[in-house]
Amino acid sequence: KNQVEQSPQSLIILEGKNCTLQCNYTVSPFSNLRWYKQDTGRGPVSLTIMTFSENTKSNGRYTATLDADTKQSSLHITASQLSDSASYICVVRGDSSYKLIFGSGTRLLVRP
Amino acid sequence: GAVVSQHPSWVICKSGTSVKIECRSLDFQATTMFWYRQFPKQSLMLMATSNEGSKATYEQGVEKDKFLINHASLTLSTLTVTSAHPEDSSFYICSARESLSGGLSYEQYFGPGTRLTVT
């Protein structure tokens, strides 16, 4: 069964600190993996999208990694800001379907 | 960048009435639009996929007669919740997949969501 699992479920960090969110997937065949940021009451906003051949991709203070062999991805946030408080969702697209498979998300709270 | 809008951003309606939610791709054409529902502290759940000019494809367990979807143009899809009940209260999000010459983009762009509350 195609699944996407994220950890931790929630995370609290102090402003300025770094953190890493994890995503494991069992989707096969695999097309691409995306990380989205979703603020409360808003739609998801794309942070990164990686294909099979990409190992890392950065978007400002966000850096995503992908290991297609172990089917793991991580999202690293550097020098966190209060505005980083949101849900971060890992989403995988299989190769033969347009459908996206969503993880349950990690709720991040950045405290001053 | 590609922008998807939704209207309204929030709506309150009485039980038994119908409510329509619009999803528009503002600066690109979208052959395919998707409708999702999200309950508090849960991830997005795909409800249906709509292709311009054809009938929508509904996910298992989603009542097509209750959630009417119309995709009449390449920039507009609508979701109508008919005879709404309190359990239909949720956050509804649409996304649009850009149509490119020579093929389809694999990128989906999400709208800001519509909060529906049925009293």
Side-chain angles (χ1 to χ4, degrees), chain B residues 105-116:
Chain B
S105 165
Y106 53 71
E107 185 59 83
Q108 281 188 33
Y109 303 96
F110 288 87
T114 296
R115 171 75 59 192
L116 170 63

Side-chain angles (χ1 to χ4, degrees), chain A residues 32 34 36 38 41-44 46 49 51 89 93 98-100 102-104 107, chain B residues 34 36 38 41 43-44 46 49 59 91 93 97 106-108 110-113 115:
Chain A
N32 58 65
R34 309 130 183 261
Y36 287 91
Q38 185 179 23
R42 305 291 295 173
S46 180
I49 179 170
T51 59
I89 306 172
R93 179 175 177 253
Y98 54 76
K99 290 184 180 179
L100 302 181
F102 290 78
S104 56
R107 291 188 296 280
Chain B
F34 306 87
Y36 296 86
Q38 185 178 33
K41 297 186 178 181
S43 195
L44 283 70
L46 181 64
T49 302
E59 295 300 300
F91 193 53
I93 303 173
R97 190 169 64 156
Y106 53 71
E107 185 59 83
Q108 281 188 33
F110 288 87
R115 171 75 59 192

Side-chain angles (χ1 to χ4, degrees), chain A residues 1-6 22-31 33 35 52 65-74 90 92:
Chain A
K1 182 179 179 181
N2 290 329
Q3 287 186 318
V4 177
E5 296 184 353
Q6 293 186 242
Q22 300 292 340
C23 174
N24 297 333
Y25 62 94
T26 59
V27 180
S28 182
F30 166 87
S31 177
L33 184 146
W35 283 94
F52 180 88
T65 65
L66 173 64
D67 186 333
D69 292 330
T70 61
K71 298 185 178 180
Q72 294 179 327
S73 176
S74 67
C90 176
V92 177

Side-chain angles (χ1 to χ4, degrees), chain B residues 4-75:
Chain B
V4 176
S5 70
Q6 284 185 238
H7 178 79
S9 55
W10 60 270
V11 58
I12 301 173
C13 70
K14 292 185 177 181
S15 184
T17 62
S18 297
V19 61
K20 180 185 286 187
I21 302 170
E22 292 186 349
C23 175
R24 294 181 184 273
S25 56
L26 297 184
D27 49 2
F28 66 99
Q29 293 186 327
T31 302
T32 305
M33 289 186 173
F34 306 87
W35 287 96
Y36 296 86
R37 181 166 50 182
Q38 185 178 33
F39 292 106
K41 297 186 178 181
Q42 295 186 22
S43 195
L44 283 70
M45 293 177 53
L46 181 64
M47 298 175 65
T49 302
S50 74
N51 291 295
E52 185 264 339
S54 62
K55 290 184 178 180
T57 301
Y58 290 81
E59 295 300 300
Q60 192 173 12
V62 178
E63 300 176 58
K64 63 179 181 180
D65 294 329
K66 181 170 183 61
F67 299 99
L68 301 179
I69 292 174
N70 182 279
H71 192 165
S73 77
L74 286 173
T75 60

Side-chain angles (χ1 to χ4, degrees), chain A residues 32-93:
Chain A
N32 58 65
L33 184 146
R34 309 130 183 261
W35 283 94
Y36 287 91
K37 178 186 179 186
Q38 185 179 23
D39 292 311
T40 302
R42 305 291 295 173
V45 174
S46 180
L47 294 176
T48 63
I49 179 170
M50 290 184 291
T51 59
F52 180 88
S53 59
E54 296 176 293
N55 299 120
T56 185
K57 182 166 282 188
S58 293
N59 178 0
R61 294 180 296 102
Y62 302 102
T63 299
T65 65
L66 173 64
D67 186 333
D69 292 330
T70 61
K71 298 185 178 180
Q72 294 179 327
S73 176
S74 67
L75 179 68
H76 186 74
I77 304 175
T78 304
S80 61
Q81 300 177 358
L82 298 180
S83 58
D84 292 332
S85 296
S87 286
Y88 292 84
I89 306 172
C90 176
V91 183
V92 177
R93 179 175 177 253

